[in-house]
Amino acid sequence: MAENQRQGPLISAGVLMGAGLGGFVDGIVFHQILQWHHMLSAFIPPFDLVNLKVNMFWDGIFHAADWVMTVMGLGLLWHAGQRKDVPWSGRTFLGSLLAGWGLFNLVEGLIDHEWLGIHHVVEYADNHTTWDMAFLVFGAAMMLGGWGFIRAGHKDILKRGE
């Protein structure tokens, strides 16, 4: 890769978009479709309408943050696309998305599930720890897989002589 070309802007855009999209998957699948947990379900169990509404409000705040991350990532992607010194690679971008999603899982899982305990992956499971640890392992695996794709993209760029 020529010294004046950089993958950083493409990676940054992908990581931010991946974190936002990973948050959407978490919120849509775990909060809404499966209803395994809500943002505050460990503190405010959604067993009545008022508690459910409070949880849904905070789920909405969570989705708004996911949207902001995704839009910011899209803005970074747009700016990266305007730069001639940023080599484009599908593998690099895919790897960045996976790494961002994995990073989201690790950060959200450590903070919300483990440190603050505001909810768990499956709130009403007999063993929260198993599900919470699986969520963290999945996040770490996605980060490692993403890193592998980023490295492969870098090698592709070197082969093309960009």
Side-chain angles (χ1 to χ4, degrees):
M1 178 167 25
E3 195 170 327
N4 63 344
Q5 295 183 326
R6 300 180 27 226
Q7 289 181 282
L10 182 61
I11 293 170
S12 297
V15 166
L16 198 54
M17 288 179 71
L21 294 171
F24 277 129
V25 170
D26 180 276
I28 293 167
V29 174
F30 295 145
H31 297 201
Q32 295 173 322
I33 295 172
L34 298 174
Q35 298 180 22
W36 282 358
H37 69 260
H38 296 280
M39 280 308 298
L40 302 177
S41 54
F43 291 148
I44 305 171
F47 296 146
D48 62 38
L49 184 57
V50 172
N51 287 359
L52 181 59
K53 288 181 81 157
V54 170
N55 272 283
M56 287 176 63
F57 171 80
W58 287 103
D59 287 350
I61 297 297
F62 173 76
H63 281 121
D66 297 334
W67 184 84
V68 167
M69 282 191 291
T70 303
V71 168
M72 288 173 57
L74 188 57
L76 289 177
L77 183 63
W78 179 265
H79 288 292
Q82 304 301 310
R83 294 179 53 170
K84 298 202 183 304
D85 65 331
V86 177
W88 285 89
S89 164
R91 288 184 187 190
T92 299
F93 188 62
L94 175 62
S96 301
L97 290 171
L98 289 172
W101 186 354
L103 180 63
F104 165 83
N105 278 17
L106 288 174
V107 170
E108 197 268 339
L110 287 172
I111 293 173
D112 292 346
H113 305 166
E114 303 308 315
W115 296 335
L116 298 177
I118 62 174
H119 68 259
H120 299 279
V121 174
V122 182
E123 193 64 57
Y124 310 106
D126 292 334
N127 186 351
H128 294 146
T129 305
T130 301
W131 288 96
D132 290 351
M133 291 301 117
F135 189 81
L136 292 172
V137 167
F138 181 67
M142 287 181 49
M143 283 190 69
L144 288 172
W147 180 76
F149 273 103
I150 291 169
R151 300 259 312 147
H154 180 73
K155 289 177 183 175
D156 288 347
I157 291 165
L158 289 175
K159 285 180 187 174
R160 291 192 314 244
E162 292 183 44

